Amino acid sequence: MLITNNMKFSTNSIKSCAARIGTLTEFERIPNTIFETPLALIHTKGGCVPHLTKDVFKMVTSDPQILSVSLSSTYLMLESMKDNNVNFANFVGMKEYINFVTLHDQAYATPSGFREANSIPIWTRSGKFTLTPNMYMNVIETFKPDMYVALCDGDTNINSSKKRVSNSIQNSTKFFDNCFTKHSSSEALKSSEILGAIEGGYDKDARTISINYLKTKPIIGYVIDGLHNNGPDVKNIPSEQIREIVQHTNNLLPPEKLRVSMGCWNPLTVLDLVELGTDIFDTSYPYIITENLRALTFLCDHDDCNNVGHTISFTEESRYADDFSPICSHCECLTCKNHTKAYLYHLCNVKEMLGSVLLMIHNIHQYLEFFKIIRESIKCGVLDDYKKKINLKFKQGNVAEADEPTNIKETKSSSS
């Protein structure tokens, strides 16, 4: 058995289900990089941040980041990577960033069903591809990611039957065995970390079975999977729907291991999941807000900005046509420092792509600031007060996001 991974996660929290600060260190490919959790992975398509060039993204943030890379948006690159004999980070020119590979794109609803024996489907712009554990691990060996999730069957949600939930656990257990055996002996993956997926839908007993199987494995952490089928509707899932099952899950997981929850959870749900001991999320939420031509304002509490709710729309609110103030006068992003709401309103209504670029710059900046505030609030012991403040922002003035139209098409695509 070859396992020589050096990556480490550490936390001073001894509680299984409580907000905590942790650190991810000792990445072999970029050894001096340190990440503090809770954090958000940067959602990508084809390995790039949607709407932003690499140079623009570097202007958005100079901090180290972890990229969330879905196979559904990158699988078609596989043969070219093989032909050029390069790993994923080098192939897409993002070698300065740690990458975390998952099966599905969190911003798009994953079609349910379509399962074949001993395989999992992924959906690309060219249609469906099915991956067996052996095929999946061959792909992973070509990508050589810093972190990745073992092949799993997470096709469950709150409406799933007991039989579907049971099958998801059986499949995922079998897939993990096959993946971990290959991972453990792979020379190509000696610098990569594998995570296991906790399945079980909304059935506590099923979750317990999945946890008991995985918690003895020598892995760095777990992905709490099977709560949804991805896509924009995840932002409308109330915390009350998932809180009990996530609390049950985290209470049974070893406190020293990493916990990941993917999907475009809204900020209120993120705060609840952080409070339950979840460490890692992703930025598919600000991407979806951008696709709806909206700007995040839930961090803005300045009277001179007059931002009452958690987002503002540049297609529905004609009052911004003559508003020559920035989205937020206190925001330090490139968009707010250089452009006005009136200009953004114009760009969005003439369907100029620069509108999405400027909104993405602002929304990513705001979301990364959100996680900085979360970490500081945990350190200072004021997370509960911060939650109340953000809750109030969501309750004020805005049309519920559940009633908003979405520009995210329910098909897989690797275009940004």
Side-chain angles (χ1 to χ4, degrees):
M1 186 171 289
L2 182 66
I3 303 179
T4 59
N5 315 65
N6 297 311
M7 194 183 307
K8 286 184 171 55
F9 174 72
S10 60
T11 176
N12 58 7
S13 174
I14 59 173
K15 295 182 179 180
S16 292
C17 198
R20 62 199 197 155
I21 296 292
T23 54
L24 266 173
T25 58
E26 299 186 32
F27 296 87
E28 183 168 319
R29 192 169 60 82
I30 313 178
N32 295 322
T33 302
I34 298 174
F35 295 98
E36 196 169 52
T37 63
L39 64 79
L41 310 176
I42 302 297
H43 174 256
T44 67
K45 293 189 179 301
C48 300
V49 182
H51 301 301
L52 306 183
T53 65
K54 179 180 177 181
D55 289 340
V56 170
F57 180 61
K58 282 186 172 181
M59 290 190 285
V60 174
T61 174
S62 59
D63 295 335
Q65 300 294 338
I66 304 178
L67 306 182
S68 172
V69 178
S70 66
L71 283 191
S72 56
S73 74
T74 56
Y75 184 73
L76 298 179
M77 301 177 180
L78 181 63
E79 294 306 317
S80 294
M81 274 187 268
K82 289 180 179 177
D83 292 343
N84 288 279
N85 193 29
V86 294
N87 64 19
F88 176 79
N90 283 290
F91 184 76
V92 298
M94 300 291 269
K95 61 184 179 181
E96 304 96 322
Y97 300 101
I98 298 299
N99 52 75
F100 183 109
V101 169
T102 63
L103 276 168
H104 307 296
D105 187 332
Q106 289 77 40
Y108 294 83
T110 305
S112 188
F114 300 95
R115 291 174 299 277
E116 299 174 14
N118 301 313
S119 67
I120 292 294
I122 60 170
W123 303 83
T124 76
R125 64 182 180 182
S126 294
K128 184 185 80 167
F129 292 84
T130 56
L131 296 174
T132 64
N134 190 56
M135 292 168 63
Y136 178 73
M137 291 306 294
N138 287 340
V139 172
I140 294 297
E141 284 192 313
T142 299
F143 275 59
K144 298 180 180 65
D146 301 291
M147 306 169 73
Y148 71 99
V149 185
L151 189 68
C152 55
D153 178 2
D155 184 12
T156 56
N157 54 49
I158 196 168
N159 297 314
S160 296
S161 67
K162 283 188 174 292
K163 182 177 180 181
R164 170 81 284 269
V165 169
S166 178
N167 286 340
S168 78
I169 293 175
Q170 292 176 23
N171 292 337
S172 298
T173 299
K174 180 171 56 179
F175 294 158
F176 182 88
D177 275 340
N178 293 335
C179 290
F180 190 72
T181 298
K182 183 74 174 284
H183 174 90
S184 301
S185 60
S186 173
E187 180 70 28
L189 298 177
K190 65 181 182 180
S191 301
S192 301
E193 287 287 351
I194 184 172
L195 287 85
I198 303 294
E199 304 295 352
Y202 287 76
D203 185 321
K204 289 183 182 179
D205 292 336
R207 289 267 165 191
T208 302
I209 293 170
S210 182
I211 292 165
N212 287 341
Y213 166 74
L214 280 175
K215 71 180 184 181
T216 60
K217 307 299 180 185
I219 54 180
I220 196 171
Y222 315 93
V223 175
I224 303 171
D225 200 27
L227 294 171
H228 57 75
N229 293 101
N230 300 308
D233 288 344
V234 172
K235 69 182 177 359
N236 302 320
I237 296 176
S239 296
E240 293 75 20
Q241 178 176 310
I242 64 170
R243 183 181 292 117
E244 190 174 345
I245 199 71
V246 173
Q247 184 174 28
H248 172 81
T249 300
N250 284 348
N251 269 328
L252 294 179
L253 288 174
E256 71 276 8
K257 297 292 183 75
L258 193 66
R259 292 96 170 259
V260 180
S261 182
M262 307 294 282
C264 56
W265 304 113
N266 69 62
L268 298 180
T269 302
V270 167
L271 287 168
D272 280 341
L273 289 171
V274 165
E275 201 169 46
L276 293 173
T278 308
D279 305 298
I280 290 184
F281 303 85
D282 67 84
T283 63
S284 54
Y285 176 78
Y287 166 66
I288 284 170
I289 296 299
T290 300
E291 292 299 279
N292 283 314
L293 300 180
R294 303 184 77 92
L296 291 172
T297 55
F298 70 97
L299 296 186
C300 179
D301 57 0
H302 314 292
D303 292 338
D304 54 332
C305 293
N306 197 30
N307 290 325
V308 177
H310 61 284
T311 67
I312 58 176
S313 169
F314 287 103
T315 57
E316 300 167 7
E317 301 288 347
S318 59
R319 62 193 173 96
Y320 296 126
D322 298 312
D323 188 336
F324 297 100
S325 64
I327 298 169
C328 174
S329 61
H330 295 255
C331 179
E332 292 295 314
C333 80
L334 293 171
T335 300
C336 288
K337 291 175 76 172
N338 294 285
H339 302 290
T340 66
K341 292 174 186 170
Y343 184 53
L344 288 164
Y345 178 83
H346 164 72
L347 292 174
C348 292
N349 281 275
V350 299
K351 296 180 170 54
E352 169 59 55
M353 68 171 60
L354 180 58
S356 295
V357 172
L358 295 178
L359 286 174
M360 193 68 178
I361 288 171
H362 171 80
N363 290 338
I364 286 287
H365 172 85
Q366 287 280 296
Y367 212 64
L368 293 178
E369 287 298 305
F370 174 49
F371 274 84
K372 288 180 183 178
I373 297 171
I374 288 174
R375 293 191 291 270
E376 192 61 30
S377 297
I378 295 173
K379 292 174 186 176
C380 296
V382 295
L383 184 63
D384 190 56
D385 292 337
Y386 185 61
K387 277 183 60 180
K388 292 175 182 176
K389 180 179 178 180
I390 298 300
N391 262 283
L392 181 62
K393 195 71 175 178
F394 269 71
K395 290 177 181 177
Q396 291 175 336
N398 265 25
V399 176
E401 285 186 0
D403 297 328
E404 296 173 6
T406 179
N407 294 323
I408 297 282
K409 295 179 181 178
E410 301 301 329
T411 55
K412 294 287 179 178
S413 171
S414 64
S415 63
S416 60

